[in-house]
């Protein structure tokens, strides 16, 4: 619970701040657009100035001063250490094992961190046709670790995903290892309610921390499978004033630049 | 060697009904003018290829130009869905659209194989996902040296590749800088290539991350200033983000979409006329 002196913030801001804290300084990070991009750029502006952000359009060491609307915005190339072709980013960087962590979003995720961004409903006659795979399947396969950022809702945290676009821990246990991928899969999921990590044995996602104000009941209600909760449940530190200021400035700058364009 | 011609002439001469056509661009340098010319000339039964189909593919699909789409991510970047693409997949309007979907890594490697005159490419991916179940152009392959199992994807050799670039010189060499995406591979994989450019210059200045496509790889160069709008051309103009947002309600409704295309694409002479048309009407 926040006391009266602490700054006020939204659950989305808490989620972004909690995700940002997971990016280590100096890490090479393959960044998805949207929430992952917001979190990793907050990290770069706070505790991780030396992280190397890679976007799938081919920018390595991107340093955008505003958040990109799309994965190939000019601001990503402008201050990048290098700009390479798309085959090079996927083959020489991602597949070669040069990426420490992939930050991904999703439409749906199951208890093993498998991700769907393809369809809701049957593939042949979908209820909702989503954008599709993009770079996610190989990020999930070959980044050494994966962090997923996703708002916790019954329609996103589901018992069974309609389509496996990107593999997490597959059926749990050691089943991912049989696939022969270089990366270990999702090591953390950051939601607007808290943090989930895979159980070391079953690989099922377990709620290990709640953000201030969130409750176990709320998290269980927002989850489409029977949510496991860690015995020693932690509480996330609330956003600091500095984290909030930097995040809000980043978003305000982004908003202003979009209106100007 | 590339000839410098009018865009109308290039599309009429090099794009035929039933062709497989890749109009590539990764947020940057999207060949909008060429897509509009294809729509205006009423090309049909096209197999459209693109890693990131966005507004121009939404427009071509909605106008019934395509029978099939080969792609890896279809959306309105930063805004949401492609409503015409979704309507075609979900409801078969204005005609059913066959889809063949891959990941970005798969598509990129398919172009590389195509440009290299190889029948297929191999990569580490797809295993454990549902994509091989729905896409027949993904198949396992065993490494003959190590016995390791990998995934194979067939080469892409489009009949025509179309890209937009910043500059060409008098001989038809093409300079592209900034994010160059998959454009080089798409052009070298294709049987024929059309490049629209912002301008023709006497000689190229050195620029960061610039690539030059030699004239022998290109069939036609057409000068279309602003030809990538609403996307951007590094060094020339910024991305028109408001246009992408405005497209959402226009494309959501079949009738409104058709009316917009009729007024601003079918009834105009060329891309300059289109720009005047959307500005004059405040249509964006």
């Amino acid at each position: 619970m926040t006391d009266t002196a602490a700054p006020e913030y939204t659950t989305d801001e808490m989620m972004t701040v909690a995700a940002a804290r997971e990016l280590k300084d100096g890490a090479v990070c393959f960044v998805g657009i949207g929430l992952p991009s917001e979190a990793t750029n907050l990290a770069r502006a706070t505790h991780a100035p030396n992280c190397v952000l890679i976007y799938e359009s081919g920018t390595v060491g991107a340093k955008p001063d505003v958040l990109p609307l799309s994965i190939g915005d000019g601001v990503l190339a402008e201050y990048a250490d290098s700009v390479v072709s798309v085959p090079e980013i996927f083959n020489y960087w991602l597949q070669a094992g040069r990426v420490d962590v992939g930050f991904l979003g999703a439409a749906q995720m199951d208890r093993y961190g498998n991700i769907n961004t393809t369809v809701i409903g049957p593939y042949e006659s979908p209820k909702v046709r989503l954008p599709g795979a993009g770079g996610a399947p190989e990020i999930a396969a070959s980044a050494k670790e994966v962090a997923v950022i996703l708002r916790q809702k019954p329609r996103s945290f589901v018992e069974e995903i309609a389509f496996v676009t990107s593999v997490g821990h597959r059926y749990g246990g050691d089943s991912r290892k049989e696939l022969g991928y270089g990366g270990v899969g999702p090591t953390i999921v950051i939601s607007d309610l808290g943090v989930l990590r895979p159980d070391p044995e079953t690989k099922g996602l377990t709620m290990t921390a709640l953000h201030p104000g969130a409750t176990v009941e709320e998290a269980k209600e927002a989850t489409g499978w029977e949510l496991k909760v860690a015995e020693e449940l932690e509480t996330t530190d609330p956003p600091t004033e500095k984290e909030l200021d930097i995040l809000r400035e980043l978003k305000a700058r982004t908003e202003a630049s979009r209106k100007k364009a | 060697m590339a000839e410098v011609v009018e865009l109308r002439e290039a599309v009429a001469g090099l794009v035929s009904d039933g062709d497989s056509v890749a109009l590539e661009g990764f947020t940057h340098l999207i060949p909008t003018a060429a897509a509009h010319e294809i729509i205006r000339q009423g090309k049909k039964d096209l197999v459209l290829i693109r890693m990131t189909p966005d507004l121009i593919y939404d427009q071509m699909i909605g106008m019934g130009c395509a029978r099939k789409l080969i792609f890896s991510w279809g959306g309105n970047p930063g805004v949401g869905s492609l409503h015409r693409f979704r309507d075609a997949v979900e409801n078969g309007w204005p005609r059913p659209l066959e889809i063949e979907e891959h990941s970005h890594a798969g598509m990129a490697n398919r172009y590389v194989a195509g440009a290299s005159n190889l029948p297929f490419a191999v990569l580490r991916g797809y295993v454990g996902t549902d994509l091989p179940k729905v896409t027949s152009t993904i198949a396992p392959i065993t490494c003959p040296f190590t016995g390791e199992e990998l995934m194979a994807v067939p080469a892409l050799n489009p009949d025509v590749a179309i890209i937009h670039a910043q500059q060409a010189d008098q001989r038809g060499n093409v300079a592209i800088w900034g994010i160059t995406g998959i454009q080089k591979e798409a052009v070298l994989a294709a049987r024929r290539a059309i490049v629209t450019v912002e301008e023709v210059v006497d000689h190229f200045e050195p620029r960061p991350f610039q690539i030059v496509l030699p004239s022998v790889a290109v069939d036609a160069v057409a000068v279309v200033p602003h030809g990538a709008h609403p996307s951007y051309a590094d060094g020339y103009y910024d991305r028109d983000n408001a246009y992408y947002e405005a497209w959402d309600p226009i494309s959501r409704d079949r009738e409104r979409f058709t009316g917009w295309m009729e007024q601003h694409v079918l009834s105009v002479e060329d891309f300059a006329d289109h720009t005047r048309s959307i500005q004059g009407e405040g249509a964006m």
Side-chain angles (χ1 to χ4, degrees):
Chain A
M1 298 292 133
T2 53
D3 64 45
T4 48
E8 298 213 359
Y9 56 89
T10 67
T11 53
D12 270 5
E13 285 172 331
M14 180 69 255
M15 173 171 61
T16 300
V17 166
R21 290 174 187 159
E22 294 301 319
L23 183 61
K24 295 186 183 74
D25 195 21
V28 178
C29 177
F30 208 116
V31 187
I33 209 71
L35 292 171
S37 179
E38 192 174 301
T40 52
N41 278 292
L42 175 61
R44 195 174 60 77
T46 50
H47 68 279
N50 301 307
C51 66
V52 177
L53 301 186
I54 292 184
Y55 289 77
E56 65 198 16
S57 53
T59 56
V60 181
K63 300 166 198 73
D65 55 357
V66 299
L67 295 170
L69 194 61
S70 175
I71 208 85
D73 280 15
V75 72
L76 296 174
E78 205 171 336
Y79 309 106
D81 296 335
S82 187
V83 179
V84 302
S85 73
V86 170
E88 198 171 328
I89 210 71
F90 282 103
N91 292 348
Y92 301 169
W93 287 85
L94 183 58
Q95 188 170 268
R98 291 180 183 276
V99 172
D100 295 320
V101 58
F103 268 59
L104 292 176
Q108 287 187 329
M109 183 187 68
D110 68 15
R111 72 179 73 205
Y112 296 115
N114 300 301
I115 287 172
N116 172 23
T117 53
T118 303
V119 286
I120 308 289
Y123 186 79
E124 296 302 333
S125 52
K127 202 162 81 182
V128 182
R129 175 63 234 197
L130 299 165
E138 284 76 21
I139 298 172
S142 293
K144 287 175 194 159
E145 294 180 24
V146 171
V148 180
I149 309 172
L150 184 61
R151 291 183 191 96
Q152 202 157 348
K153 302 242 164 17
R155 67 187 162 98
S156 54
F157 280 52
V158 296
E159 173 74 33
E160 194 174 351
I161 57 178
F163 192 95
V164 181
T165 314
S166 305
V167 182
H169 295 287
R170 210 181 172 199
Y171 320 125
D174 283 337
S175 59
R176 181 189 164 97
K177 279 194 183 150
E178 294 158 21
L179 303 176
Y181 287 136
V184 300
T187 52
I188 188 165
V189 175
I190 303 102
S191 82
D192 50 347
L193 299 179
V195 169
L196 302 92
R197 295 181 194 270
D199 178 271
E201 297 294 319
T202 68
K203 298 292 194 301
L205 289 170
T206 306
M207 200 98 209
T208 56
L210 286 171
H211 299 326
T215 64
V216 169
E217 290 67 38
E218 197 182 351
K220 284 188 170 175
E221 268 171 40
T223 306
W225 66 82
E226 207 182 312
L227 182 67
K228 295 258 191 326
V229 179
E231 280 176 29
E232 289 179 34
L233 193 59
E234 292 172 17
T235 303
T236 315
D237 288 336
T240 64
E241 215 162 308
K242 186 184 166 200
E243 285 169 327
L244 280 176
D245 283 352
I246 292 175
L247 176 60
R248 287 169 185 173
E249 274 167 33
L250 180 63
K251 294 188 83 160
R253 253 194 335 271
T254 302
E255 196 57 35
S257 91
R258 281 176 199 173
K259 281 196 178 122
K260 193 185 72 187
Chain B
M1 296 291 277
E3 278 188 81
V4 179
V5 297
E6 291 294 320
L7 178 58
R8 187 180 294 125
E9 199 185 315
V11 168
L14 297 171
V15 181
S16 303
D17 290 350
D19 275 356
S20 58
V21 185
L23 296 98
E24 276 294 352
F26 217 106
T27 305
H28 184 207
L29 297 171
I30 292 162
T32 311
H36 284 185
E37 191 56 42
I38 287 172
I39 294 168
R40 243 187 326 272
Q41 293 189 16
K43 302 290 183 191
K44 54 182 191 292
D45 297 324
L46 301 177
V47 174
L48 293 177
I49 306 170
R50 171 94 180 263
M51 289 185 62
T52 52
D54 68 346
L55 272 50
I56 59 173
Y57 275 50
D58 211 30
Q59 294 171 348
M60 288 191 287
I61 290 165
M63 294 301 283
C65 301
R67 70 168 177 85
K68 181 176 178 181
L69 176 68
I70 302 174
F71 75 109
S72 41
W73 191 92
N76 181 344
V79 178
S81 289
L82 292 180
H83 299 293
R84 294 299 97 224
F85 161 64
R86 278 185 57 178
D87 202 10
V89 173
E90 293 168 16
N91 308 307
W93 193 92
R95 56 173 296 179
L97 182 72
E98 191 190 333
I99 57 172
E100 177 181 329
E101 70 179 302
H102 278 265
S103 66
H104 279 350
M107 286 292 282
N109 280 293
R110 295 186 69 186
Y111 278 123
V112 170
S116 312
N117 189 28
L118 287 171
F120 64 89
V122 292
L123 70 151
R124 296 175 190 279
Y126 291 123
V127 187
T129 76
D130 283 340
L131 285 161
K133 293 181 192 161
V134 300
T135 303
S136 61
T137 49
I138 303 169
I141 188 167
T142 306
C143 170
F145 306 107
T146 64
E148 190 180 355
E149 191 148 296
L150 299 160
M151 279 296 192
V153 287
L156 272 175
N157 290 107
D159 291 316
V160 194
I162 304 179
I163 63 165
H164 186 78
Q166 283 99 338
Q167 296 176 345
D169 68 13
Q170 304 287 355
R171 298 176 56 226
N173 299 301
V174 172
I176 318 174
W177 65 84
I179 290 171
T180 52
I182 193 73
Q183 283 94 313
K184 177 169 71 179
E185 289 76 12
V187 164
L188 293 174
R191 294 178 181 88
R192 302 183 290 279
I194 301 171
V195 183
T196 54
V197 295
E198 289 297 320
E199 61 177 333
V200 172
V201 297
D202 288 334
H203 47 96
F204 301 140
E205 301 291 332
R207 313 254 182 187
F209 315 120
Q210 175 166 262
I211 60 170
V212 174
L213 278 174
S215 179
V216 288
V218 178
D219 295 276
V221 168
V223 182
V224 187
H226 243 73
H229 178 268
S231 95
Y232 70 103
D234 195 331
Y236 288 85
Y237 45 90
D238 291 334
R239 192 173 190 266
D240 185 352
N241 292 325
Y243 183 115
Y244 285 84
E245 276 167 22
W247 183 249
D248 188 75
I250 293 168
S251 60
R252 207 176 269 273
D253 179 75
R254 288 176 187 173
E255 217 164 293
R256 191 168 166 201
F257 162 78
T258 311
W260 191 93
M261 291 301 292
E262 176 66 44
Q263 186 180 357
H264 301 294
V265 177
L266 294 180
S267 305
V268 303
E269 278 296 305
D270 55 20
F271 201 65
D273 202 15
H274 161 77
T275 305
R276 281 190 292 274
S277 173
I278 56 173
Q279 282 169 351
E281 293 285 325
M284 279 304 173

